[in-house]
Amino acid sequence: MLVWLLALGVIAGSVKRADGAVPPSSMAKIRMMNSRGPYIAIVVPNSFEMNPLLQSPSFRADPNFPYLDILGRRFRFGKVENKEVIVVMTGLSMLNAGVTTELLLALFEVKGVVHYGIAGNANPQLQIGDVTIPQYWAHTGLWNWQRFGEGSNDELALESNGDYTREIGYLEFANYNNASQSGEEELGNLLNRVWYQPEEVFPIGGVPEVRQHAFWVPVDRSYYGLSAKITDLKLGACVNSSTCLPRAPRVVRVERGVSANVFVDNKAYREFLSSKFNATPIDMESTGVALVCRQLRTPFIAFRSLSDLAGGGSSLSNEASTFASLAAQNAVDAVVKFISLLAS
């Protein structure tokens, strides 16, 4: 087991720990806390998204063992709506989200993962403050960047080896060129096109080093079904007495969300993600969590509250600077309600 591999720095009691390994003192505490599990794990990207949960009356920290720090992560123990939970912050990006989730699931007895945060919005039919619950997540930042001069029918580099594919499709940068003002013949865009790629995954039930591929990763079917029961939840609409949204936000189940190591504040790319993938929330972590949960066969669902219309609603500034706190609180309210419905 990975837990024991992490502790291989202990040799005959003489070596206390190996660099990067979990120290024996922490392993003892992990075993103690696991005896109280299994837990619902709540995975959050940033502190401003996590703090509304920690400050909520629905969260009660464990009075005897409120947290355990391991490898730069703080795992907080407590209860939400009388359910045993572990709360952990990942930090920004797909890499941090995946590493933190892998560590969480390797060390602790977890029966399900609930991920939440704020997100950009690619669907102009929805509004800032709405909480979205996608059925599928994809990583849209894994590309094969084609060389200049090659066309969409040309084989990609290493495609014949099975490393890359043209099945998902591409983004062509020339589609977003400005028209020539000089009347001279335009040259092709040197950036050509990028082809979207699925992730390589190695599920624990498979043959080691025999890869599978995953692009659209579904959330847990039973979790998604249960989420239908919170769509009538009343959410906050005002940041303060003078800054309110035009309508009350709502919880909306949607088909797809996408993640990449990109903060999307660009109208053209937002519209591309919407038309190409039917995406609604755009974020930087959810699919990293989803992919690890898929590989480790752990139920997963994500709640993303919309903080801005990506590249859209204002020519002056991104709306997230105004509405991030409201969006974070709405996400917390949805998560608390969802957890209250889970079986003990």
Side-chain angles (χ1 to χ4, degrees):
M1 292 176 63
L2 180 57
V3 171
W4 298 111
L5 292 175
L6 291 169
L8 283 179
V10 184
I11 302 174
S14 59
V15 179
K16 297 300 183 185
R17 59 174 296 178
D19 290 342
V22 178
S25 60
S26 292
M27 292 302 302
K29 294 173 184 176
I30 290 167
R31 288 191 290 270
M32 177 188 71
M33 296 311 293
N34 279 338
S35 68
R36 305 180 187 182
Y39 297 89
I40 294 295
I42 303 175
V43 179
V44 194
N46 294 303
S47 59
F48 78 87
E49 295 160 313
M50 179 175 64
N51 287 340
L53 174 66
L54 300 183
Q55 296 163 4
S56 166
S58 298
F59 175 75
R60 290 182 291 124
D62 189 305
N64 300 313
F65 204 93
Y67 63 86
L68 179 60
D69 293 340
I70 302 174
L71 301 181
R73 270 71 176 178
R74 174 161 290 185
F75 296 90
R76 294 170 168 86
F77 301 92
K79 291 187 177 182
V80 169
E81 297 296 311
N82 214 34
K83 307 295 195 307
E84 297 282 353
V85 299
I86 301 175
V87 183
V88 62
M89 186 182 80
T90 67
L92 192 70
S93 84
M94 288 276 292
L95 176 62
N96 273 325
V99 168
T100 304
T101 305
E102 181 82 27
L103 186 63
L104 164 76
L105 298 182
L107 295 178
F108 296 103
E109 292 291 334
V110 171
K111 59 183 177 181
V113 172
V114 177
H115 175 63
Y116 79 87
I118 68 171
N121 177 25
N123 181 357
Q125 301 304 311
L126 297 183
Q127 176 191 265
I128 290 171
D130 288 346
V131 177
T132 62
I133 312 173
Q135 187 175 10
Y136 297 93
W137 284 94
H139 177 204
T140 52
L142 186 58
W143 295 348
N144 184 313
W145 206 316
Q146 202 169 20
R147 68 172 59 186
F148 179 65
E150 292 187 347
S152 59
N153 293 323
D154 291 326
E155 185 176 280
L156 299 176
L158 303 181
E159 183 180 359
S160 61
N161 294 342
D163 294 327
Y164 297 100
T165 179
R166 288 175 293 173
E167 291 181 4
I168 298 167
Y170 60 85
L171 167 66
E172 181 141 22
F173 290 97
N175 290 340
Y176 300 93
N177 282 354
N178 290 325
S180 173
Q181 299 298 315
S182 65
E184 297 178 1
E185 182 180 355
E186 283 192 68
L187 297 176
N189 191 317
L190 296 177
L191 294 175
N192 202 3
R193 64 182 61 83
V194 292
W195 292 81
Y196 290 89
Q197 300 299 313
E199 289 279 359
E200 291 184 353
V201 292
F202 300 87
I204 57 173
V207 179
E209 298 183 352
V210 175
R211 64 186 175 183
Q212 299 177 15
H213 289 96
F215 190 71
W216 291 112
V217 182
V219 303
D220 181 75
R221 182 179 300 178
S222 63
Y223 280 8
Y224 191 69
L226 185 64
S227 71
K229 296 184 177 181
I230 71 167
T231 54
D232 59 351
L233 181 66
K234 293 183 178 180
L235 300 171
C238 296
V239 176
N240 51 47
S241 59
S242 61
T243 306
C244 294
L245 296 166
R247 67 160 172 80
R250 56 179 183 258
V251 178
V252 185
R253 300 201 306 166
V254 299
E255 185 178 8
R256 293 174 175 178
V258 296
S259 308
N261 287 337
V262 180
F263 186 94
V264 178
D265 193 18
N266 182 276
K267 180 176 183 289
Y269 192 56
R270 173 247 294 173
E271 291 177 343
F272 173 82
L273 291 174
S274 177
S275 62
K276 175 69 177 177
F277 297 119
N278 191 27
T280 297
I282 309 169
D283 69 33
M284 301 176 70
E285 296 86 19
S286 294
T287 310
V289 182
L291 283 162
V292 173
C293 289
R294 180 193 188 279
Q295 293 187 89
L296 298 183
R297 297 179 176 177
T298 303
F300 161 82
I301 193 168
F303 298 76
R304 284 285 181 160
S305 185
L306 306 176
S307 61
D308 61 288
L309 181 62
S314 171
S315 62
L316 299 176
S317 65
N318 183 283
E319 302 95 334
S321 60
T322 300
F323 292 104
S325 60
L326 174 64
Q329 183 62 60
N330 284 352
V332 168
D333 291 346
V335 165
V336 168
K337 181 63 176 178
F338 176 79
I339 290 176
S340 74
L341 299 176
L342 290 173
S344 298

